Amino acid sequence: MFIHWAPASQRGWELSWPLVGGSSALPGGQSIGVEEYHSTAKTFNPVNFDARDIARRAKRAGMQYGVLITKHHDGYAMFHTRESDYGIEHSPYRKDIVRAYADAFRAEGLKVGFYFSLIDWHHADYPAFTDADKPYRFGKWRRSTPEQWDRFLKVMFGQLRELLSNYGKIDVLWFDGGWERSAEEWHSAELVKMIRELQPEILINDRIPGFGDYVTPEQAIPASAPKGPWETCLTINDSWGYNPSDRKLKSPRYLLHALCEVAGKGGNLLLNISPMGDGAIPPEQIDRLEVFADWMTRHQESIVGTTAGLEPWQFYGPSTRRGDRIYLHLLMRPYESVSVRGVNVRRVKAVSVLGSGAKLDFTSQISAVDLMFNKDPIGELIIKVPESALDPYATVIAIDF
């Protein structure tokens, strides 16, 4: 679960990008004056924020970890920090949102992740972004003096030290915003060294220049799996923050199919929610989390802890593997059967519908030569799939070898 949230959510604005005039990557975003955008910090009072409820929903939906925005590009700290007075501690709400989140997710047995943007468009020494700097152009941002940059780095290092020292074991650090400076300017090597000294078992994503334990494609599922560990992050509409004007909602079926596709390529799905200004989750997002909760109750073993399954030519759809069990994810309704090619058909012990356990009939097709001369022939497994076996969102068939 990705959680994008900030004072701008009170106004239904995307996070950070409206203050720089919007972004082409966020078609539902806005363009807001810098002072007006930052003024939302004065009234931020999310009285309906319930970290325990969010953690329970994540757990029921089969999620294994969370990633909360601790500071986005706008510089607002959702945690108590001695490095800045621009944060939740100085709002009408005052309570530490990061602490509540970390405690709640850990209590549900979920891993704890922090998003942290290297960019800070509010801090004077970064320097702060102004209306005179618009439009935002890549590579054209104003730069600090060496003295300013040294002061800013002390603040950035200090905030990360607070996040990694004050909230228990942190499992994931999800950086963003690295594009505005080089690895040398960010002092990436020194920063990563400090992070690993404070949290030796932490995973760091690939958005701090020069480093990264895993890669993070955004808003799309790669056509082929990236090398090494990876995770795709995805929104429910086209926006990261709460944006009621963006009604391009992805259907529950689309999102579940995305989960199956990602798992079938050996990756993780980081699905975003965006609380409203008062801290409550929008109803349409709750609806989708409930669909996930229902489906994962019956199918979680085909997703969590699995690896990529068959090759694309073997089965027309995503598949995953756990030991000697293969899971076929049917994202389209079969006519009467599905086929799996290139498998040792004599090793098939059973085929069943995941969730119900209903046994399915199957036959095999083997070439005559293999049938006569090979002890363990490779062939095609043909599985009959009756209408009664179909799930309304995504049917999963388990093959035990």
Side-chain angles (χ1 to χ4, degrees), residues 213-273:
D213 298 317
Y214 66 101
V215 298
T216 54
E218 181 173 334
Q219 292 287 50
I221 301 170
S224 57
K227 292 182 179 179
W230 65 281
E231 161 205 86
T232 197
C233 52
L234 190 67
T235 56
I236 287 176
N237 53 11
D238 284 344
S239 304
W240 290 104
Y242 173 60
N243 185 357
S245 65
D246 180 358
R247 303 307 300 170
K248 294 182 178 178
L249 296 164
K250 300 176 181 71
S251 71
R253 182 177 289 110
Y254 178 96
L255 294 170
L256 273 173
H257 286 193
L259 174 65
C260 296
E261 292 272 12
V262 168
K265 293 177 179 177
N268 279 12
L269 176 66
L270 186 62
L271 181 65
N272 185 65
I273 67 165

Side-chain angles (χ1 to χ4, degrees), residues 158-288:
Q159 288 190 321
L160 282 164
R161 191 176 293 109
E162 290 171 332
L163 286 168
L164 299 177
S165 302
N166 299 341
Y167 299 94
K169 185 177 186 294
I170 308 305
D171 303 286
V172 175
L173 189 53
W174 215 101
F175 279 114
D176 201 8
W179 66 83
E180 285 200 350
R181 300 291 190 278
S182 67
E184 291 75 19
E185 289 173 301
W186 289 123
H187 291 207
S188 293
E190 181 184 346
L191 188 58
V192 169
K193 181 176 182 291
M194 180 192 78
I195 292 165
R196 298 208 186 278
E197 287 174 350
L198 294 171
Q199 296 283 346
E201 297 180 11
I202 202 166
L203 286 175
I204 303 172
N205 76 338
D206 62 338
R207 300 195 184 194
I208 175 170
F211 292 86
D213 298 317
Y214 66 101
V215 298
T216 54
E218 181 173 334
Q219 292 287 50
I221 301 170
S224 57
K227 292 182 179 179
W230 65 281
E231 161 205 86
T232 197
C233 52
L234 190 67
T235 56
I236 287 176
N237 53 11
D238 284 344
S239 304
W240 290 104
Y242 173 60
N243 185 357
S245 65
D246 180 358
R247 303 307 300 170
K248 294 182 178 178
L249 296 164
K250 300 176 181 71
S251 71
R253 182 177 289 110
Y254 178 96
L255 294 170
L256 273 173
H257 286 193
L259 174 65
C260 296
E261 292 272 12
V262 168
K265 293 177 179 177
N268 279 12
L269 176 66
L270 186 62
L271 181 65
N272 185 65
I273 67 165
S274 43
M276 298 181 285
D278 66 354
I281 306 174
E284 60 270 21
Q285 297 185 12
I286 289 177
D287 291 344
R288 284 152 178 78

Side-chain angles (χ1 to χ4, degrees), residues 317-337:
S319 63
T320 55
R321 178 190 300 270
R322 184 194 302 277
D324 288 331
R325 175 170 268 204
I326 294 287
Y327 303 94
L328 310 178
H329 294 83
L330 278 58
L331 307 189
M332 293 179 284
R333 297 173 69 91
Y335 287 108
E336 63 269 335
S337 65

Side-chain angles (χ1 to χ4, degrees), residues 75-135:
Y76 189 88
M78 299 289 267
F79 60 101
H80 288 186
T81 174
R82 294 181 178 180
E83 302 292 343
S84 170
D85 59 3
Y86 189 60
I88 193 69
E89 189 174 4
H90 303 278
S91 72
Y93 187 68
R94 294 190 177 275
K95 290 179 281 188
D96 191 327
I97 284 168
V98 169
R99 184 170 304 284
Y101 150 79
D103 290 347
F105 269 62
R106 207 173 281 122
E108 291 294 328
L110 302 175
K111 303 288 187 181
V112 174
F114 291 161
Y115 167 109
F116 185 89
S117 175
L118 297 164
I119 289 172
D120 193 324
W121 288 329
H122 180 268
H123 198 282
D125 288 325
Y126 185 73
F129 194 91
T130 69
D131 287 319
D133 296 317
K134 294 179 180 178

